[in-house]
Amino acid sequence: MSEIQALRANLQTIEARIASAAERAGRRAEDVTLLLATKTVPAARVAQTLAINPYIFGENKVLEGEEKAQTLDAMDLSTPARWHLIGHLQTNKVKYALRYVDCIQSVDRFRLLERLDQRLQFEGRALDIMLQVNTSQEASKYGVPPEEVLALARRAASFDTLRIRGLMTIGKLGQSAEAARPGFRQLRECRDRLLAEGIEGCEPHELSMGMSGDLEVAVEEGATIVRVGTAVFGERAYPDAYYWPS
Ligand SMILES: *Cc1c(COP(=O)(O)O)cnc(C)c1O
């Protein structure tokens, strides 16, 4: 099987997994967007994937993503790539992230909101963001604690430059996919509470949750975006600790 055939087959498998989980949950598969997590995946391979379908890509490291975005831009493809940032964002990298991302899913603190607003005001535009919530009770993980989401959302909504599109979480890893369910459910409850607050400028409908190992559970719990890497591109050479705190 050629590399492209393998890629197509993997994507079909993932789409079938999403479809059957959606069916079980009485949801429509079209209401779940597949975002491809491309950390360590070379630009040429991202371009092959884009030729199959106009997927959204997610990068963890600002500079790794920017390099890929530039390479793809230079290829002048018929479908331009769309990028979300899904990894921890340091305030001193905000300027670089804003050069290529459409959405930052990993917003998790006041200081970052302020820095984003400052830079976006300077550029005279607005940006889609999502708030990352730490639902796994692991102190090591990034994300705002669930009980602080409301305060962060209120602050974010006070900036005209930031459009809150939803919430993101990384599920509990390791054991079984089921281990992630309570965290996913908690994210959905957080989202529902936020919506009920009716904060002006805050419409957090999206739930970004679920990865290669637990996407079915996430779809059952209401995910509108699942973020998949390994199941499409294969195992990564770097351990995830290189991208996440451990
Ligand atoms: C790597 C990564 C994913 C995808 O994980 P896989 O297990 O490879 O599917 C999803 N979300 C984030 C934040 C990631 O860093």
Side-chain angles (χ1 to χ4, degrees):
M1 202 170 5
S2 76
E3 212 171 84
I4 298 210
Q5 281 171 328
L7 201 51
R8 273 184 199 281
N10 290 349
L11 287 162
Q12 273 166 10
T13 303
I14 290 297
E15 274 153 13
R17 284 175 59 189
I18 292 172
S20 66
E23 194 181 336
R24 263 199 313 280
R27 303 184 56 207
R28 302 183 324 160
E30 307 90 88
D31 294 339
V32 184
T33 299
L34 173 57
L35 174 150
L36 299 177
T38 45
K39 53 178 179 275
T40 77
V41 178
R45 215 157 148 64
V46 177
Q48 285 178 336
T49 315
L50 195 56
I52 296 173
N53 234 331
Y55 294 104
I56 300 174
F57 301 106
E59 280 286 337
N60 290 68
K61 288 192 179 284
V62 171
L63 302 182
E64 181 184 335
E66 190 184 16
E67 222 176 273
K68 276 177 227 182
Q70 283 172 349
T71 307
L72 287 186
D73 273 350
M75 292 166 92
D76 208 12
L77 306 167
S78 53
T79 316
R82 287 175 299 158
W83 302 91
H84 285 199
L85 189 71
I86 60 174
H88 181 67
L89 176 56
Q90 292 170 277
T91 46
N92 64 1
K93 299 264 165 57
V94 160
K95 179 167 76 169
Y96 306 103
L98 291 181
R99 285 183 187 161
Y100 71 99
V101 302
D102 288 341
C103 176
I104 297 175
Q105 294 200 4
S106 46
V107 175
D108 62 355
R109 58 200 192 280
F110 288 98
R111 181 78 195 91
L112 182 56
L113 292 175
E114 285 160 6
R115 184 69 195 104
L116 281 168
D117 173 64
Q118 243 174 25
R119 183 68 202 178
L120 286 162
Q121 288 216 29
F122 176 76
E123 295 183 8
R125 65 189 182 105
L127 181 79
D128 288 348
I129 61 165
M130 300 178 63
L131 305 180
Q132 181 174 356
V133 185
N134 181 345
T135 55
S136 62
Q137 291 167 327
E138 289 165 65
S140 62
K141 289 251 184 75
Y142 291 119
V144 64
E147 61 277 11
E148 292 170 27
V149 172
L150 180 57
L152 190 67
R154 284 192 194 286
R155 184 80 177 116
S158 74
F159 295 117
D160 292 341
T161 51
L162 302 174
R163 297 183 296 241
I164 308 167
R165 295 300 189 202
L167 303 180
M168 183 269 251
T169 199
I170 297 176
K172 209 176 179 78
L173 305 168
Q175 312 101 338
S176 67
E178 276 304 318
R181 191 181 299 273
F184 292 159
R185 193 166 286 165
Q186 189 175 32
L187 194 74
R188 187 186 65 213
E189 289 165 358
C190 267
R191 193 261 326 253
D192 292 347
R193 271 199 306 276
L194 264 190
L195 284 171
E197 289 286 326
I199 303 167
E200 202 184 315
C202 177
E203 296 186 349
H205 297 284
E206 306 287 347
L207 285 178
S208 173
M209 57 192 195
M211 317 197 303
S212 293
D214 53 22
L215 69 91
E216 283 88 351
V217 176
V219 170
E220 285 167 15
E221 293 301 331
T224 62
I225 299 174
V226 294
R227 310 177 308 266
V228 177
T230 315
V232 169
F233 301 111
E235 293 295 332
R236 290 178 286 270
Y238 293 105
D240 280 347
Y242 177 69
Y243 289 91
W244 297 346
S246 59

